[in-house]
Amino acid sequence: MAVRSVCPLDCPDACSVLLTVNEGRVTKLVGNPAHPITRGFACVKTHHYPERQYHPDRLRYPQRRVGPKGEGRLVRISWAEALDTIAERLQAIIQDGAEAVLPYSYAGTMGLVEGRQPLAFFRALGASELDWTICAATGGAAWEANYGPAKLGTDPEEVPQARLIILWGINSLRSNVHLTPFLKEARQRGAYILHIDPYRNETSRFADEHWQLQVGSDAALALAIGNVILQAGLEDQAYLAAHATGIEQYRQACAEWPLEPAAALTGLSAERIREVALWLAREPRSFIRVGYGMTRNEGGGNALRAVTLLPALTGAWQHPGGGALLSTSGAFAINTARAFGQPRPGVRHINMNRLASALELTANPIRALFVFNSNPAAVAPDSRRVRAGLAREDLFTVVLEHFQTDTADYADLLLPATTFLEHPDLYTAYGHYYLQWAEPVVAPLAEARPNSWVFRELSQRLGLTHQGLYWDAEQVARELLNTEHPNLAGVTFERLKQEGFIKLALPQPFRPYAQGSHFPDGKIRFAPAPQQLTFMEQPSADYPLRLISPPGSHFVNTSMGNIASLLKAAGGEPQVLVHPADAARAGVKSGTHGRIVSAQGSIIRRTIVSEEAVEGALIALGQWWPKLAPDRRSLNDLTSERLTDLGGGSTFGNAVVRLEPLGV
Ligand SMILES: Nc1nc2c(c(=O)[nH]1)N[C@H]1C(S)=C(S)[C@@H](COP(=O)(O)OP(=O)(O)OC[C@H]3O[C@@H](n4cnc5c(=O)[nH]c(N)nc54)[C@H](O)[C@@H]3O)O[C@H]1N2
Ligand SMILES: Nc1nc2c(c(=O)[nH]1)N[C@H]1C(S)=C(S)[C@@H](COP(=O)(O)OP(=O)(O)OC[C@H]3O[C@@H](n4cnc5c(=O)[nH]c(N)nc54)[C@H](O)[C@@H]3O)O[C@H]1N2
Ligand SMILES: [Mo]
């Protein structure tokens, strides 16, 4: 019998999946053919979820630390002992102020009940508020600076109508693979596809053309394209007059990027930039799918603003298949205030990219840390300092997990969490417009419990009274859907439960910016004009290369990073791509190990010499479990806590490094 569920991984596709269950065990996972985006196929990662579900290392019981922090020596305890210990410690810690408590969580599951209801517990306590900045903050802030509140974009189901498609800073065949059938359909109808990315990957090979630009040069490229269009007088003057402000400032910013300097900075052909700019302006049905890659550096917000203003300049938003897409998340107008609580006015906020510094605070220090749906020892910047913070003896750390990750090795208490196959949840998406509900498919493994259950138990022990803390998943979902917003018209819990997925009630055809922005004045903002920013750290003799770390094929962040078949398929150990000219200068041979050094730290990785890397950049593929890397170190030993220009985002694409041969 096949049972329907939803892939919970942090990915735009939010797939509907079908599970085969035999005698209470999941034996197979496939994509749901009935779902208009999933279209019957599951990606290489999700396909292997059954192997993860029954992995011998799945956590089965609550455990308490017995060795030094970081060693991960633990003994089994009961849930009652675990919960009582936590409640007791919390009660003592919050005597001196609840801001000493910090929840650290992110998108291990995209499910709203397991991902966000726990926040209500911490908000009821008055804990420090974690700002979710590690991934989408810069892109979101940039988008909203142009187009107003709520990220919306061209419906992927409209993409077959586009005739010129630019995949800009996104490896969509890897990280958004369910867009591919729509791209293919567009191509069958005559669309041309251009990929713009410093990393030559499967999307470049799929595209009709690839521009391998320098890391962090996107704003200059977009402004140069704007300049060509404005100089030719090909901007959509009627659309701009009705729906835009600041075009004169924008014109000046574009004038600073004539073709030659833009070609020099990006490493691209001036003539080809000009041709494509004119094409973009003349093709009403032009569509730009933009990813987060370009936002992962200091100038990332400006870059994303410059790129996503282009469909406004050309008026593409008005036409079938035209426009741009970063994220669809703004359309899911769920009612979160009661279900997830709200930060207390004036409460301390901690930027999650600065966990290392937060754990070093001496005034009002963090004394209790709760980690769930995240693996900060691996994914947070400057991980050497993060680990030093996690090793503090006076820090009480509770980790809710499926596995004993690098972070879990520092836990005082390690609690076994259920997976999406074992708990119900409600799912939005950031790559399409379907809302989904999934019921549990099998019983929890051993003593694994949902995050939401743990925080309900703790609420009770601490005597918290706010009603929403005690809602079960169905009550949370009903409350989230309890809104007058037109996008959710007709979307009831009963329907969702029965149908599994429902497309939001968007106006058809969905052209979110055909009539301008979602600012109160309805204008798209070209001013302040985006700029090509100069990074603080420039490549130098000591650190000649820039390091980027785009998603790998076989893991999602560090999730799935301990699955034997996927580790094998990913090459058995983490790899770094280096351009032949850079490899020659560093004296590194393909297939050998090299040391990569930044101002923050150093790691050892196998280097692959390949023109897949643009000259001047090292490309580290995917995020590995540090303890499964040859030197047991995190890639983020090399990155810094520096923030982006907009939204306080992470700068994983910012580090300058050098590569040294180890010869083995
Ligand atoms: N297989 C797989 N899929 C994933 C993930 C994963 O780890 N593995 N992670 C998921 C998550 S959390 C997220 S946020 C999304 C990530 O979503 P995205 O960040 O959109 O990731 P990618 O699609 O890999 O696109 C990023 C691309 O940007 C390129 N890039 C880096 N720097 C620059 C630059 O300065 N300019 C330009 N033009 N391009 C640049 C990278 O080489 C990469 O190919 O993917 C999700 N999907
Ligand atoms: N160098 C570098 N660092 C990066 C990035 C990069 O490109 N380069 N990308 C960044 C990005 S885009 C992101 S989004 C972050 C991602 O960072 P995280 O959100 O921390 O993602 P994961 O590493 O996948 O860790 C998620 C953890 O949640 C656990 N989990 C899953 N479901 C549940 C559940 O239901 N309950 C509980 N308790 N646990 C669960 C999984 O087992 C897993 O260990 O990493 C960032 N870090
Ligand atoms: Mo992300």
Side-chain angles (χ1 to χ4, degrees), residues 10 52 106-109 135 296 373-375 379 400-402 405 417-418 423 451 549 556-559 623 636 652:
D10 184 353
R52 182 180 195 270
Y106 201 61
T109 170
C135 173
R296 307 245 186 269
N373 303 344
S374 186
N375 187 7
V379 305
L400 289 71
E401 252 301 349
H402 298 151
T405 59
T418 45
H423 56 234
N451 299 336
S549 45
V556 178
N557 303 316
T558 67
S559 296
Q623 294 195 59
N636 281 313
F652 298 116

PDB file of all heavy atoms in Angstrom, residues 10 52 106-109 135 296 373-375 379 400-402 405 417-418 423 451 549 556-559 623 636 652, ligand 2:
ATOM      1  N   ASP A  10      15.003  20.883   3.395  1.00  0.00           N
ATOM      2  CA  ASP A  10      15.075  22.310   3.085  1.00  0.00           C
ATOM      3  C   ASP A  10      15.404  22.477   1.611  1.00  0.00           C
ATOM      4  O   ASP A  10      16.561  22.505   1.209  1.00  0.00           O
ATOM      5  CB  ASP A  10      16.152  22.942   3.974  1.00  0.00           C
ATOM      6  CG  ASP A  10      16.222  24.443   3.792  1.00  0.00           C
ATOM      7  OD1 ASP A  10      15.543  24.973   2.902  1.00  0.00           O
ATOM      8  OD2 ASP A  10      16.975  25.071   4.552  1.00  0.00           O
ATOM      9  N   ARG A  52      17.840   6.195   5.650  1.00  0.00           N
ATOM     10  CA  ARG A  52      18.084   7.076   6.798  1.00  0.00           C
ATOM     11  C   ARG A  52      17.158   6.708   7.967  1.00  0.00           C
ATOM     12  O   ARG A  52      17.575   6.663   9.123  1.00  0.00           O
ATOM     13  CB  ARG A  52      17.837   8.525   6.365  1.00  0.00           C
ATOM     14  CG  ARG A  52      18.110   9.550   7.448  1.00  0.00           C
ATOM     15  CD  ARG A  52      17.833  10.966   6.922  1.00  0.00           C
ATOM     16  NE  ARG A  52      18.403  11.985   7.777  1.00  0.00           N
ATOM     17  CZ  ARG A  52      17.782  12.552   8.802  1.00  0.00           C
ATOM     18  NH1 ARG A  52      16.548  12.203   9.106  1.00  0.00           N
ATOM     19  NH2 ARG A  52      18.388  13.485   9.527  1.00  0.00           N
ATOM     20  N   TYR A 106      16.799  25.672  12.789  1.00  0.00           N
ATOM     21  CA  TYR A 106      16.596  26.161  11.437  1.00  0.00           C
ATOM     22  C   TYR A 106      15.698  25.193  10.677  1.00  0.00           C
ATOM     23  O   TYR A 106      14.641  24.834  11.177  1.00  0.00           O
ATOM     24  CB  TYR A 106      17.921  26.495  10.733  1.00  0.00           C
ATOM     25  CG  TYR A 106      17.657  27.443   9.594  1.00  0.00           C
ATOM     26  CD1 TYR A 106      17.110  28.690   9.839  1.00  0.00           C
ATOM     27  CD2 TYR A 106      17.860  27.058   8.282  1.00  0.00           C
ATOM     28  CE1 TYR A 106      16.774  29.549   8.805  1.00  0.00           C
ATOM     29  CE2 TYR A 106      17.534  27.909   7.236  1.00  0.00           C
ATOM     30  CZ  TYR A 106      16.986  29.154   7.502  1.00  0.00           C
ATOM     31  OH  TYR A 106      16.638  29.988   6.474  1.00  0.00           O
ATOM     32  N   ALA A 107      16.114  24.743   9.511  1.00  0.00           N
ATOM     33  CA  ALA A 107      15.157  24.107   8.609  1.00  0.00           C
ATOM     34  C   ALA A 107      15.440  22.619   8.392  1.00  0.00           C
ATOM     35  O   ALA A 107      15.208  22.106   7.303  1.00  0.00           O
ATOM     36  CB  ALA A 107      15.118  24.856   7.286  1.00  0.00           C
ATOM     37  N   GLY A 108      15.922  21.913   9.435  1.00  0.00           N
ATOM     38  CA  GLY A 108      16.092  20.461   9.328  1.00  0.00           C
ATOM     39  C   GLY A 108      14.815  19.816   8.823  1.00  0.00           C
ATOM     40  O   GLY A 108      14.843  18.889   8.016  1.00  0.00           O
ATOM     41  N   THR A 109      13.679  20.282   9.333  1.00  0.00           N
ATOM     42  CA  THR A 109      12.397  19.962   8.711  1.00  0.00           C
ATOM     43  C   THR A 109      11.730  21.272   8.343  1.00  0.00           C
ATOM     44  O   THR A 109      11.789  22.244   9.088  1.00  0.00           O
ATOM     45  CB  THR A 109      11.460  19.154   9.627  1.00  0.00           C
ATOM     46  OG1 THR A 109      10.150  19.118   9.001  1.00  0.00           O
ATOM     47  CG2 THR A 109      11.303  19.768  11.009  1.00  0.00           C
ATOM     48  N   CYS A 135      20.352  31.755   5.806  1.00  0.00           N
ATOM     49  CA  CYS A 135      20.144  31.318   4.423  1.00  0.00           C
ATOM     50  C   CYS A 135      19.479  32.372   3.557  1.00  0.00           C
ATOM     51  O   CYS A 135      20.086  32.925   2.648  1.00  0.00           O
ATOM     52  CB  CYS A 135      19.303  30.043   4.455  1.00  0.00           C
ATOM     53  SG  CYS A 135      18.796  29.491   2.846  1.00  0.00           S
ATOM     54  N   ARG A 296      25.481  35.227  -1.016  1.00  0.00           N
ATOM     55  CA  ARG A 296      26.295  34.759   0.106  1.00  0.00           C
ATOM     56  C   ARG A 296      27.618  35.507   0.217  1.00  0.00           C
ATOM     57  O   ARG A 296      28.658  34.915   0.494  1.00  0.00           O
ATOM     58  CB  ARG A 296      26.584  33.262  -0.047  1.00  0.00           C
ATOM     59  CG  ARG A 296      25.331  32.418  -0.256  1.00  0.00           C
ATOM     60  CD  ARG A 296      25.093  31.478   0.879  1.00  0.00           C
ATOM     61  NE  ARG A 296      23.971  30.584   0.603  1.00  0.00           N
ATOM     62  CZ  ARG A 296      22.707  30.880   0.948  1.00  0.00           C
ATOM     63  NH1 ARG A 296      22.424  32.017   1.551  1.00  0.00           N
ATOM     64  NH2 ARG A 296      21.747  30.009   0.684  1.00  0.00           N
ATOM     65  N   ASN A 373      16.510  20.835  14.794  1.00  0.00           N
ATOM     66  CA  ASN A 373      16.404  21.079  13.344  1.00  0.00           C
ATOM     67  C   ASN A 373      17.625  21.809  12.810  1.00  0.00           C
ATOM     68  O   ASN A 373      17.521  22.548  11.820  1.00  0.00           O
ATOM     69  CB  ASN A 373      15.164  21.913  12.994  1.00  0.00           C
ATOM     70  CG  ASN A 373      13.880  21.284  13.486  1.00  0.00           C
ATOM     71  OD1 ASN A 373      13.856  20.113  13.833  1.00  0.00           O
ATOM     72  ND2 ASN A 373      12.820  22.054  13.515  1.00  0.00           N
ATOM     73  N   SER A 374      18.752  21.647  13.420  1.00  0.00           N
ATOM     74  CA  SER A 374      19.947  22.347  12.946  1.00  0.00           C
ATOM     75  C   SER A 374      21.201  21.660  13.472  1.00  0.00           C
ATOM     76  O   SER A 374      21.158  20.943  14.461  1.00  0.00           O
ATOM     77  CB  SER A 374      19.922  23.806  13.411  1.00  0.00           C
ATOM     78  OG  SER A 374      21.009  24.511  12.836  1.00  0.00           O
ATOM     79  N   ASN A 375      22.308  21.942  12.777  1.00  0.00           N
ATOM     80  CA  ASN A 375      23.582  21.317  13.124  1.00  0.00           C
ATOM     81  C   ASN A 375      24.680  22.389  13.151  1.00  0.00           C
ATOM     82  O   ASN A 375      25.576  22.403  12.311  1.00  0.00           O
ATOM     83  CB  ASN A 375      23.878  20.238  12.072  1.00  0.00           C
ATOM     84  CG  ASN A 375      25.096  19.409  12.415  1.00  0.00           C
ATOM     85  OD1 ASN A 375      25.676  19.536  13.498  1.00  0.00           O
ATOM     86  ND2 ASN A 375      25.511  18.561  11.481  1.00  0.00           N
ATOM     87  N   VAL A 379      27.352  23.903  10.390  1.00  0.00           N
ATOM     88  CA  VAL A 379      26.846  24.854   9.383  1.00  0.00           C
ATOM     89  C   VAL A 379      27.046  26.326   9.733  1.00  0.00           C
ATOM     90  O   VAL A 379      26.929  27.184   8.861  1.00  0.00           O
ATOM     91  CB  VAL A 379      25.342  24.628   9.079  1.00  0.00           C
ATOM     92  CG1 VAL A 379      25.081  23.202   8.667  1.00  0.00           C
ATOM     93  CG2 VAL A 379      24.455  25.051  10.243  1.00  0.00           C
ATOM     94  N   LEU A 400      17.987  18.156  20.245  1.00  0.00           N
ATOM     95  CA  LEU A 400      16.945  17.229  19.768  1.00  0.00           C
ATOM     96  C   LEU A 400      17.361  16.815  18.361  1.00  0.00           C
ATOM     97  O   LEU A 400      17.517  17.674  17.487  1.00  0.00           O
ATOM     98  CB  LEU A 400      15.580  17.932  19.716  1.00  0.00           C
ATOM     99  CG  LEU A 400      14.890  18.280  21.047  1.00  0.00           C
ATOM    100  CD1 LEU A 400      15.613  19.416  21.762  1.00  0.00           C
ATOM    101  CD2 LEU A 400      13.436  18.674  20.814  1.00  0.00           C
ATOM    102  N   GLU A 401      17.530  15.535  18.129  1.00  0.00           N
ATOM    103  CA  GLU A 401      18.120  15.098  16.850  1.00  0.00           C
ATOM    104  C   GLU A 401      17.654  13.705  16.439  1.00  0.00           C
ATOM    105  O   GLU A 401      17.122  12.940  17.237  1.00  0.00           O
ATOM    106  CB  GLU A 401      19.657  15.078  16.968  1.00  0.00           C
ATOM    107  CG  GLU A 401      20.386  16.182  16.210  1.00  0.00           C
ATOM    108  CD  GLU A 401      20.139  16.204  14.701  1.00  0.00           C
ATOM    109  OE1 GLU A 401      19.555  15.253  14.153  1.00  0.00           O
ATOM    110  OE2 GLU A 401      20.536  17.180  14.056  1.00  0.00           O
ATOM    111  N   HIS A 402      17.908  13.391  15.176  1.00  0.00           N
ATOM    112  CA  HIS A 402      17.751  12.014  14.682  1.00  0.00           C
ATOM    113  C   HIS A 402      19.042  11.228  14.862  1.00  0.00           C
ATOM    114  O   HIS A 402      19.027  10.003  14.947  1.00  0.00           O
ATOM    115  CB  HIS A 402      17.416  12.020  13.179  1.00  0.00           C
ATOM    116  CG  HIS A 402      16.129  12.706  12.849  1.00  0.00           C
ATOM    117  ND1 HIS A 402      15.908  13.326  11.650  1.00  0.00           N
ATOM    118  CD2 HIS A 402      14.986  12.861  13.575  1.00  0.00           C
ATOM    119  CE1 HIS A 402      14.683  13.827  11.630  1.00  0.00           C
ATOM    120  NE2 HIS A 402      14.116  13.566  12.781  1.00  0.00           N
ATOM    121  N   THR A 405      25.030  14.017  15.670  1.00  0.00           N
ATOM    122  CA  THR A 405      25.792  14.903  14.792  1.00  0.00           C
ATOM    123  C   THR A 405      26.996  15.480  15.542  1.00  0.00           C
ATOM    124  O   THR A 405      27.149  15.264  16.748  1.00  0.00           O
ATOM    125  CB  THR A 405      24.904  16.082  14.366  1.00  0.00           C
ATOM    126  OG1 THR A 405      24.492  16.749  15.574  1.00  0.00           O
ATOM    127  CG2 THR A 405      23.684  15.622  13.589  1.00  0.00           C
ATOM    128  N   ALA A 417      14.529  12.518  18.256  1.00  0.00           N
ATOM    129  CA  ALA A 417      13.376  13.156  17.607  1.00  0.00           C
ATOM    130  C   ALA A 417      12.755  12.214  16.580  1.00  0.00           C
ATOM    131  O   ALA A 417      13.433  11.365  15.993  1.00  0.00           O
ATOM    132  CB  ALA A 417      13.815  14.447  16.926  1.00  0.00           C
ATOM    133  N   THR A 418      11.465  12.411  16.355  1.00  0.00           N
ATOM    134  CA  THR A 418      10.783  11.668  15.289  1.00  0.00           C
ATOM    135  C   THR A 418      11.123  12.286  13.931  1.00  0.00           C
ATOM    136  O   THR A 418      11.519  13.445  13.844  1.00  0.00           O
ATOM    137  CB  THR A 418       9.255  11.727  15.486  1.00  0.00           C
ATOM    138  OG1 THR A 418       8.889  13.074  15.793  1.00  0.00           O
ATOM    139  CG2 THR A 418       8.810  10.807  16.603  1.00  0.00           C
ATOM    140  N   HIS A 423       5.610  11.791  12.379  1.00  0.00           N
ATOM    141  CA  HIS A 423       4.763  12.835  12.977  1.00  0.00           C
ATOM    142  C   HIS A 423       3.976  13.560  11.880  1.00  0.00           C
ATOM    143  O   HIS A 423       4.400  13.605  10.736  1.00  0.00           O
ATOM    144  CB  HIS A 423       5.601  13.814  13.818  1.00  0.00           C
ATOM    145  CG  HIS A 423       6.739  14.473  13.086  1.00  0.00           C
ATOM    146  ND1 HIS A 423       8.042  14.441  13.529  1.00  0.00           N
ATOM    147  CD2 HIS A 423       6.777  15.193  11.946  1.00  0.00           C
ATOM    148  CE1 HIS A 423       8.821  15.107  12.697  1.00  0.00           C
ATOM    149  NE2 HIS A 423       8.087  15.571  11.722  1.00  0.00           N
ATOM    150  N   ASN A 451       9.490  17.073  18.345  1.00  0.00           N
ATOM    151  CA  ASN A 451       9.940  18.293  19.033  1.00  0.00           C
ATOM    152  C   ASN A 451       8.767  18.910  19.795  1.00  0.00           C
ATOM    153  O   ASN A 451       8.906  19.349  20.936  1.00  0.00           O
ATOM    154  CB  ASN A 451      10.414  19.352  18.028  1.00  0.00           C
ATOM    155  CG  ASN A 451      11.584  18.885  17.178  1.00  0.00           C
ATOM    156  OD1 ASN A 451      12.332  18.003  17.570  1.00  0.00           O
ATOM    157  ND2 ASN A 451      11.750  19.502  16.011  1.00  0.00           N
ATOM    158  N   SER A 549      30.865  27.642  -1.511  1.00  0.00           N
ATOM    159  CA  SER A 549      30.477  26.277  -1.112  1.00  0.00           C
ATOM    160  C   SER A 549      29.036  26.000  -1.498  1.00  0.00           C
ATOM    161  O   SER A 549      28.159  25.945  -0.651  1.00  0.00           O
ATOM    162  CB  SER A 549      30.683  26.090   0.389  1.00  0.00           C
ATOM    163  OG  SER A 549      30.183  27.195   1.116  1.00  0.00           O
ATOM    164  N   VAL A 556      21.532  17.360   1.720  1.00  0.00           N
ATOM    165  CA  VAL A 556      20.903  18.681   1.824  1.00  0.00           C
ATOM    166  C   VAL A 556      21.492  19.316   3.064  1.00  0.00           C
ATOM    167  O   VAL A 556      21.219  18.874   4.180  1.00  0.00           O
ATOM    168  CB  VAL A 556      19.385  18.573   1.933  1.00  0.00           C
ATOM    169  CG1 VAL A 556      18.772  19.965   2.094  1.00  0.00           C
ATOM    170  CG2 VAL A 556      18.828  17.919   0.691  1.00  0.00           C
ATOM    171  N   ASN A 557      22.329  20.294   2.875  1.00  0.00           N
ATOM    172  CA  ASN A 557      23.140  20.818   3.960  1.00  0.00           C
ATOM    173  C   ASN A 557      23.831  19.605   4.594  1.00  0.00           C
ATOM    174  O   ASN A 557      24.389  18.804   3.860  1.00  0.00           O
ATOM    175  CB  ASN A 557      22.304  21.683   4.898  1.00  0.00           C
ATOM    176  CG  ASN A 557      21.644  22.810   4.102  1.00  0.00           C
ATOM    177  OD1 ASN A 557      22.299  23.421   3.264  1.00  0.00           O
ATOM    178  ND2 ASN A 557      20.371  23.067   4.321  1.00  0.00           N
ATOM    179  N   THR A 558      23.783  19.421   5.939  1.00  0.00           N
ATOM    180  CA  THR A 558      24.429  18.196   6.437  1.00  0.00           C
ATOM    181  C   THR A 558      23.442  17.037   6.566  1.00  0.00           C
ATOM    182  O   THR A 558      23.836  15.935   6.944  1.00  0.00           O
ATOM    183  CB  THR A 558      25.122  18.408   7.801  1.00  0.00           C
ATOM    184  OG1 THR A 558      24.123  18.670   8.795  1.00  0.00           O
ATOM    185  CG2 THR A 558      26.120  19.552   7.750  1.00  0.00           C
ATOM    186  N   SER A 559      22.148  17.302   6.276  1.00  0.00           N
ATOM    187  CA  SER A 559      21.183  16.204   6.362  1.00  0.00           C
ATOM    188  C   SER A 559      21.470  15.202   5.244  1.00  0.00           C
ATOM    189  O   SER A 559      21.784  15.617   4.130  1.00  0.00           O
ATOM    190  CB  SER A 559      19.756  16.733   6.215  1.00  0.00           C
ATOM    191  OG  SER A 559      19.437  17.598   7.283  1.00  0.00           O
ATOM    192  N   GLN A 623      27.977  20.278   2.094  1.00  0.00           N
ATOM    193  CA  GLN A 623      28.405  20.372   3.497  1.00  0.00           C
ATOM    194  C   GLN A 623      28.513  18.965   4.048  1.00  0.00           C
ATOM    195  O   GLN A 623      27.536  18.235   4.055  1.00  0.00           O
ATOM    196  CB  GLN A 623      27.374  21.155   4.290  1.00  0.00           C
ATOM    197  CG  GLN A 623      27.287  22.597   3.866  1.00  0.00           C
ATOM    198  CD  GLN A 623      26.545  23.387   4.912  1.00  0.00           C
ATOM    199  OE1 GLN A 623      26.944  23.429   6.058  1.00  0.00           O
ATOM    200  NE2 GLN A 623      25.446  23.983   4.523  1.00  0.00           N
ATOM    201  N   ASN A 636      33.293  25.308   7.592  1.00  0.00           N
ATOM    202  CA  ASN A 636      33.082  26.621   8.194  1.00  0.00           C
ATOM    203  C   ASN A 636      34.183  27.023   9.168  1.00  0.00           C
ATOM    204  O   ASN A 636      34.120  28.109   9.740  1.00  0.00           O
ATOM    205  CB  ASN A 636      31.694  26.709   8.821  1.00  0.00           C
ATOM    206  CG  ASN A 636      30.643  26.944   7.740  1.00  0.00           C
ATOM    207  OD1 ASN A 636      30.821  27.804   6.874  1.00  0.00           O
ATOM    208  ND2 ASN A 636      29.588  26.162   7.765  1.00  0.00           N
ATOM    209  N   PHE A 652      28.957  33.017   3.369  1.00  0.00           N
ATOM    210  CA  PHE A 652      29.717  31.789   3.096  1.00  0.00           C
ATOM    211  C   PHE A 652      30.521  31.879   1.800  1.00  0.00           C
ATOM    212  O   PHE A 652      31.423  31.095   1.576  1.00  0.00           O
ATOM    213  CB  PHE A 652      28.775  30.587   3.030  1.00  0.00           C
ATOM    214  CG  PHE A 652      28.044  30.327   4.315  1.00  0.00           C
ATOM    215  CD1 PHE A 652      26.668  30.439   4.388  1.00  0.00           C
ATOM    216  CD2 PHE A 652      28.733  29.986   5.466  1.00  0.00           C
ATOM    217  CE1 PHE A 652      25.987  30.204   5.572  1.00  0.00           C
ATOM    218  CE2 PHE A 652      28.062  29.749   6.658  1.00  0.00           C
ATOM    219  CZ  PHE A 652      26.690  29.862   6.712  1.00  0.00           C
TER     220      PHE A 652
HETATM  221  N1  LIG B   2      29.999  26.911   4.364  1.00  0.00           N
HETATM  222  C1  LIG B   2      28.672  26.915   4.200  1.00  0.00           C
HETATM  223  N2  LIG B   2      27.859  26.829   5.261  1.00  0.00           N
HETATM  224  C2  LIG B   2      26.521  26.848   5.096  1.00  0.00           C
HETATM  225  C3  LIG B   2      25.958  26.936   3.806  1.00  0.00           C
HETATM  226  C4  LIG B   2      26.835  27.035   2.700  1.00  0.00           C
HETATM  227  O1  LIG B   2      26.405  27.129   1.544  1.00  0.00           O
HETATM  228  N3  LIG B   2      28.174  27.005   2.944  1.00  0.00           N
HETATM  229  N4  LIG B   2      24.592  26.933   3.650  1.00  0.00           N
HETATM  230  C5  LIG B   2      23.817  27.484   4.723  1.00  0.00           C
HETATM  231  C6  LIG B   2      22.389  27.239   4.490  1.00  0.00           C
HETATM  232  S1  LIG B   2      21.752  27.753   2.998  1.00  0.00           S
HETATM  233  C7  LIG B   2      21.599  26.674   5.387  1.00  0.00           C
HETATM  234  S2  LIG B   2      19.927  26.607   5.084  1.00  0.00           S
HETATM  235  C8  LIG B   2      22.159  26.149   6.642  1.00  0.00           C
HETATM  236  C9  LIG B   2      21.472  24.834   7.002  1.00  0.00           C
HETATM  237  O2  LIG B   2      21.756  24.471   8.240  1.00  0.00           O
HETATM  238  P1  LIG B   2      20.781  23.502   9.085  1.00  0.00           P
HETATM  239  O3  LIG B   2      19.387  24.001   9.010  1.00  0.00           O
HETATM  240  O4  LIG B   2      21.407  23.337  10.398  1.00  0.00           O
HETATM  241  O5  LIG B   2      20.742  22.173   8.210  1.00  0.00           O
HETATM  242  P2  LIG B   2      21.367  20.730   8.396  1.00  0.00           P
HETATM  243  O6  LIG B   2      22.831  20.765   8.419  1.00  0.00           O
HETATM  244  O7  LIG B   2      20.754  19.913   7.343  1.00  0.00           O
HETATM  245  O8  LIG B   2      20.884  20.252   9.831  1.00  0.00           O
HETATM  246  C10 LIG B   2      19.541  19.996  10.113  1.00  0.00           C
HETATM  247  C11 LIG B   2      19.466  18.989  11.248  1.00  0.00           C
HETATM  248  O9  LIG B   2      18.099  18.881  11.660  1.00  0.00           O
HETATM  249  C12 LIG B   2      17.828  17.526  11.960  1.00  0.00           C
HETATM  250  N5  LIG B   2      16.377  17.309  11.839  1.00  0.00           N
HETATM  251  C13 LIG B   2      15.664  17.091  10.723  1.00  0.00           C
HETATM  252  N6  LIG B   2      14.355  16.956  11.012  1.00  0.00           N
HETATM  253  C14 LIG B   2      14.230  17.082  12.347  1.00  0.00           C
HETATM  254  C15 LIG B   2      13.124  17.014  13.247  1.00  0.00           C
HETATM  255  O10 LIG B   2      11.970  16.815  12.866  1.00  0.00           O
HETATM  256  N7  LIG B   2      13.408  17.208  14.583  1.00  0.00           N
HETATM  257  C16 LIG B   2      14.663  17.426  15.023  1.00  0.00           C
HETATM  258  N8  LIG B   2      14.847  17.634  16.337  1.00  0.00           N
HETATM  259  N9  LIG B   2      15.728  17.463  14.189  1.00  0.00           N
HETATM  260  C17 LIG B   2      15.511  17.301  12.873  1.00  0.00           C
HETATM  261  C18 LIG B   2      18.640  16.738  10.966  1.00  0.00           C
HETATM  262  O11 LIG B   2      18.896  15.439  11.454  1.00  0.00           O
HETATM  263  C19 LIG B   2      19.902  17.603  10.818  1.00  0.00           C
HETATM  264  O12 LIG B   2      20.949  17.169  11.642  1.00  0.00           O
HETATM  265  O13 LIG B   2      23.564  25.904   6.504  1.00  0.00           O
HETATM  266  C20 LIG B   2      24.262  27.032   6.121  1.00  0.00           C
HETATM  267  N10 LIG B   2      25.697  26.769   6.177  1.00  0.00           N
END
